[in-house]
Amino acid sequence: MQGYVKVSNVKTARISDMVYGHFIEHLGRCIYGGIYERGSPLSDQRGFRKDVLEAVKKIKCPILRWPGGNFASAYHWKDGIGPVEKRPKLLNYIWGGIETNEFGTDEFIEYCREAGAEPYLSVSLGTGTLDEALQWLEYCNLDTPTKYATLRKQSGHEKPYNVKYWGIGNEVYGPWQVGHCSASEYAEKLRQFAQFMKGIDPSIKIIAVGADDPEWDMTVLKHAGKVIDYISIHQYHGSEDHYETISSVYYIEERLKLLRSLIKHLKLDHVKIAFDEWNVWYQTIPEKEMAEQGIVTLEESYALKDALFAAGVFCVMHRMSDIVEIANVAQMVNALGIIKTNKTSLVLTPIYHVFDLFVNHTGRTRLDMKLACDTYSIKAKSFFEGRISFSLENVPYIDGSATYDERTKTVSLALVNYKDSTVKVTVDLSDFKTLSTQAVVHELTGPDAFSKNDFENPNIVRPSQKIIQLAGKVFDIELQRLSLTILEIKIE
């Protein structure tokens, strides 16, 4: 098989840093034993795991969503402020176990500041109220002589946190959610929350719950579209079958395009998409975990095929950068985590390495790119217990994205070879006037599609780097089987 890629020197869109965002929830060992572990020799005086924080900083987390997820629907933020020893210990009846409330709003904001991330708070629409949301906003963002702003100052935080991103509810379209309601009921709650929250702080951005359901999303957009800034979509996929896993990338692209078409149909040009939960998830079943052990952990193990899925998702978001401005992989540590920890060390999964390569070795200006390669058709099932089914035609064996970094004057070409064999690709950069005669090449691959990193063998799948000489502006490159390859070429 052979492919052909032509990149033109035409800048088509700006890619938001926010598409490389993350998500943490009070679920299993995501927070406690993940990013936060008081008393551990690996933690600092604040309780933050230093090894995890270092890994998070390396991939430059731009935005971090918290406290959920499902957990947010029954969360009361006041339980997580004030002296840690006085905070109530409560049942986590969403995911099981005990919630100590040691990690609350102040700790979350401190973690975001340390990691360099914008905080993204999810407001409860289950057991929470409008008053509670407004008080949380006051606590975080106001510098007034009022009760909750003063409470923040008394807790040692004189300056407002200026939290910009606020999600109103989580997955309330689903019967598994505390606060489940109809689209029309949600739309009216959303309108009221957005109206009054923006009345207190007009600078904030409101993220609405989208359901990946045109009828639901249309109802919400029609009723509240003028007062929101983003509508969310969640996508989880994955299967034991390699091609079922990686083909779901193109199912995701179809769903994102459908949501974009609804927004455009209603002429809500200010509304963008927040793809604020996405990942591979098919091995752990929450109902089964709860029944067997009384707590949900969702500790999936990720393989090379899952990393290629993630690389494909980034290519899709690059193509749709006109409207997809925020994305949050779910989740950051342990629970569906792209980082795994135990008491003494951590493991970086193949998906983590995809973040590393895209964040640090691609640009933020999208270039026009044409790609030709062989395709296949598939009928697939994904998500746990095959809860999503789809059929696709003309699915490409390779995908990619071309970007430009203005700071370093570098063209980056990211190419994903989903096929279990090498592929020779002809790269045509003849539209560029001057190019370096060499390229830095980053590759991520492994022994097979199911190769994983674990605590005994943490480097089975990891990036490698080399320098190659280019035979002009049109050249051939061989993509390794089952690989992500990124070429960085300077414009001289």
Side-chain angles (χ1 to χ4, degrees):
M1 189 180 89
Q2 186 167 354
Y4 175 78
V5 174
K6 181 176 177 58
V7 180
S8 66
N9 193 15
V10 175
K11 299 172 182 177
T12 59
R14 187 72 185 166
I15 298 166
S16 169
D17 281 321
M18 299 293 185
V19 299
Y20 300 115
H22 297 263
F23 171 40
I24 55 174
E25 182 171 1
H26 295 252
L27 194 175
R29 296 190 309 120
C30 179
I31 291 176
Y32 304 116
I35 69 167
Y36 181 88
E37 193 169 6
R38 290 180 72 193
S40 166
L42 298 179
S43 298
D44 63 19
Q45 70 280 7
R46 298 165 295 186
F48 299 159
R49 278 276 298 247
K50 292 181 286 186
D51 54 347
V52 174
L53 188 55
E54 181 181 354
V56 172
K57 287 182 177 180
K58 186 180 181 186
I59 55 175
K60 300 172 184 174
C61 175
I63 185 169
L64 187 57
R65 181 175 179 240
W66 173 84
N70 293 9
F71 181 82
S73 293
Y75 181 64
H76 296 281
W77 68 271
K78 294 173 192 174
D79 292 332
I81 62 170
V84 171
E85 63 276 8
K86 293 184 179 180
R87 297 179 191 178
K89 291 179 174 62
L90 303 171
L91 289 174
N92 180 345
Y93 65 86
I94 305 301
W95 298 117
I98 302 296
E99 173 54 53
T100 66
N101 283 300
E102 291 178 47
F103 190 92
T105 300
D106 300 324
E107 289 76 20
F108 172 67
I109 297 296
E110 178 69 15
Y111 197 85
C112 287
R113 298 294 184 252
E114 184 68 28
E118 284 281 349
Y120 166 6
L121 293 176
S122 296
V123 169
S124 171
L125 276 192
T127 58
T129 64
L130 175 58
D131 277 349
E132 192 173 7
L134 297 176
Q135 291 160 4
W136 202 8
L137 178 60
E138 178 191 328
Y139 182 88
C140 290
N141 285 16
L142 297 194
D143 188 12
T144 54
T146 49
K147 180 177 179 179
Y148 295 101
T150 300
L151 187 59
R152 183 197 69 245
K153 295 175 184 179
Q154 290 173 344
S155 296
H157 308 282
E158 184 67 27
K159 294 183 179 179
Y161 292 144
N162 297 320
V163 177
K164 183 177 181 180
Y165 298 96
W166 295 79
I168 309 303
N170 175 77
E171 294 183 359
V172 290
Y173 51 83
W176 59 86
Q177 199 73 213
V178 176
H180 169 55
C181 59
S182 69
S184 57
E185 289 170 331
Y186 172 70
E188 176 54 24
K189 289 181 182 179
L190 169 65
R191 186 197 63 76
Q192 290 186 34
F193 274 63
Q195 174 184 328
F196 289 105
M197 289 177 73
K198 285 190 171 184
I200 288 177
D201 184 351
S203 71
I204 65 172
K205 301 294 183 182
I206 296 293
I207 297 99
V209 171
D212 189 28
D213 174 342
E215 184 176 347
W216 170 285
D217 294 342
M218 184 70 81
T219 298
V220 170
L221 288 167
K222 279 183 176 180
H223 191 76
K226 291 182 179 179
V227 295
I228 66 172
D229 302 280
Y230 297 87
I231 185 166
S232 71
I233 183 171
H234 295 173
Q235 292 285 319
Y236 293 100
H237 292 275
S239 164
E240 286 293 345
D241 183 86
H242 167 62
Y243 285 105
E244 285 191 347
T245 298
I246 53 96
S247 65
S248 59
V249 165
Y250 301 97
Y251 174 84
I252 289 172
E253 188 165 19
E254 287 185 351
R255 307 311 294 178
L256 289 170
K257 286 179 177 178
L258 176 58
L259 182 53
R260 177 172 64 184
S261 71
L262 296 178
I263 294 169
K264 298 301 182 185
H265 174 73
L266 295 172
K267 297 182 171 58
L268 295 170
D269 294 336
H270 68 285
V271 176
K272 305 300 181 183
I273 294 174
F275 188 17
D276 59 10
E277 285 188 34
W278 69 272
N279 207 345
V280 170
W281 176 10
Y282 67 94
Q283 299 166 79
T284 54
I285 302 171
E287 297 92 339
K288 185 178 180 181
E289 284 197 319
M290 183 65 82
E292 292 180 350
Q293 58 197 34
I295 189 169
V296 177
T297 62
L298 303 187
E299 298 213 10
E300 298 265 318
S301 58
Y302 291 126
L304 176 59
K305 70 179 180 62
D306 307 319
L308 299 181
F309 164 86
V313 169
F314 285 138
C315 291
V316 167
M317 290 195 286
H318 284 193
R319 284 194 286 274
M320 299 193 65
S321 56
D322 62 312
I323 196 160
V324 180
E325 288 192 349
I326 293 174
N328 305 83
V329 71
Q331 297 185 14
M332 196 158 76
V333 188
N334 291 328
L336 305 178
I338 69 167
I339 300 169
K340 307 295 185 184
T341 69
N342 61 19
K343 289 292 185 181
T344 59
S345 60
L346 60 70
V347 170
L348 305 176
T349 69
I351 295 177
Y352 174 93
H353 291 308
V354 171
F355 269 85
D356 182 11
L357 290 177
F358 269 89
V359 168
N360 293 307
H361 300 288
T362 68
R364 299 298 178 266
T365 299
R366 182 162 61 90
L367 300 176
D368 183 63
M369 187 186 83
K370 302 292 188 295
L371 188 154
C373 68
D374 291 347
T375 63
Y376 62 98
S377 300
I378 191 168
K379 291 183 178 180
K381 291 183 178 181
S382 69
F383 197 28
F384 62 82
E385 298 183 320
R387 298 189 186 194
I388 297 174
S389 299
F390 57 87
S391 297
L392 295 170
E393 304 291 332
N394 300 315
V395 182
Y397 281 109
I398 62 174
D399 201 354
S401 173
T403 58
Y404 179 66
D405 188 330
E406 288 87 352
R407 299 166 300 172
T408 61
K409 296 184 178 179
T410 301
V411 173
S412 293
L413 180 59
L415 296 171
V416 191
N417 179 14
Y418 298 121
K419 195 171 177 62
D420 197 4
S421 61
T422 59
V423 177
K424 186 172 75 171
V425 175
T426 298
V427 177
D428 186 343
L429 301 176
S430 56
D431 279 4
F432 294 85
K433 290 183 179 179
T434 58
L435 287 172
S436 173
T437 58
Q438 66 180 25
V440 179
V441 180
H442 306 271
E443 290 179 334
L444 181 69
T445 188
D448 58 52
F450 303 94
S451 298
K452 300 176 181 180
N453 298 334
D454 57 31
F455 289 99
E456 288 71 36
N457 299 285
N459 295 312
I460 299 296
V461 181
R462 64 174 179 175
S464 63
Q465 179 179 319
K466 62 184 178 181
I467 295 175
I468 63 171
Q469 301 301 314
L470 303 179
K473 295 181 181 179
V474 180
F475 57 90
D476 290 339
I477 184 170
E478 190 172 80
L479 303 181
Q480 298 301 310
R481 54 189 284 277
L482 304 169
S483 66
L484 165 63
T485 301
I486 296 180
L487 290 80
E488 294 182 290
I489 307 169
K490 296 276 189 180
I491 294 181
E492 295 183 334

